[in-house]
Amino acid sequence: MKTSEIRDLIDFISKSGLNEVDIETKELKLHVKREPDQKVFKSSPVIAPVAATAPVATSAPVVQQAAQTPATQPKAAAEAPASGKKTIEIKSPMIGTFYRSSNPDTPPFVSVGDKVSKGQTVCIIEAMKLFNEIESEVSGTIVKAPVENSSPVEYDQVLFVVEPD
């Protein structure tokens, strides 16, 4: 299950009035629960690894994943004019810690002015001790990188601005 599908499920639950949903497949066990009167915020989902047989007891909206899914991909935002040219934003698909490289001794995946291709890893976001490679969904040139290395990021926060080819 992709991060966008999990977000859609959480949004659906918050709008529908449902309080609890369980989904289980071979690769994934998903349990979402919220208190009936609790407000759900778009940036509030928490993703946590859990054993397949672990009991879940929580009052906050929580998404629990039994298996690590393939690297999540950011959502390309609507095109917005910047200095007369169209750009696309690569946004964070989750809350976590942003890293420009795989470790402190290696160069960053991408920098301002670099060409990126669709599917190329642009950064890593650590969430709950899981390191998620974030891939570009567009080919182009990085024109802006507003997030500092090792900084916390919010869901849907702009990580990079790309000028498409």
Side-chain angles (χ1 to χ4, degrees):
M1 185 172 246
K2 294 182 181 180
T3 304
S4 61
E5 294 170 330
I6 294 170
R7 281 193 308 263
D8 292 343
L9 178 62
I10 291 170
D11 288 342
F12 172 76
I13 292 169
S14 67
K15 292 174 185 170
S16 70
L18 291 175
N19 294 324
E20 190 170 348
V21 173
D22 288 304
I23 299 174
E24 190 169 343
T25 66
K26 288 188 288 187
E27 306 135 355
L28 175 77
K29 179 179 179 182
L30 185 69
H31 178 86
V32 181
K33 182 176 181 178
R34 72 179 183 101
E35 290 297 316
D37 296 324
Q38 183 177 3
K39 292 183 180 178
V40 178
F41 299 100
K42 273 199 152 199
S43 63
S44 66
V46 177
I47 300 176
V50 65
T53 59
V56 177
T58 180
S59 62
V62 176
V63 177
Q64 296 187 341
Q65 241 172 314
Q68 183 176 357
T69 56
T72 54
Q73 296 184 355
K75 185 179 185 182
E79 295 182 5
S83 68
K85 296 184 180 179
K86 291 187 177 185
T87 59
I88 296 177
E89 297 173 335
I90 298 175
K91 294 185 176 185
S92 176
M94 65 188 72
I95 297 171
T97 304
F98 172 85
Y99 295 104
R100 291 192 181 278
S101 61
S102 57
N103 68 57
D105 300 328
T106 59
F109 291 110
V110 295
S111 299
V112 173
D114 288 353
K115 296 272 188 192
V116 293
S117 56
K118 186 174 182 177
Q120 178 181 344
T121 300
V122 293
C123 66
I124 292 176
I125 296 182
E126 177 191 7
M128 303 299 291
K129 303 292 182 193
L130 295 175
F131 292 87
N132 302 282
E133 290 185 351
I134 307 303
E135 298 175 351
S136 176
E137 289 188 349
V138 65
S139 295
T141 305
I142 303 287
V143 292
K144 189 174 179 185
V147 181
E148 293 296 322
N149 192 40
S150 302
S151 297
V153 292
E154 295 289 327
Y155 163 72
D156 218 26
Q157 180 176 344
V158 176
L159 304 175
F160 298 96
V161 179
V162 179
E163 186 177 288
D165 290 336

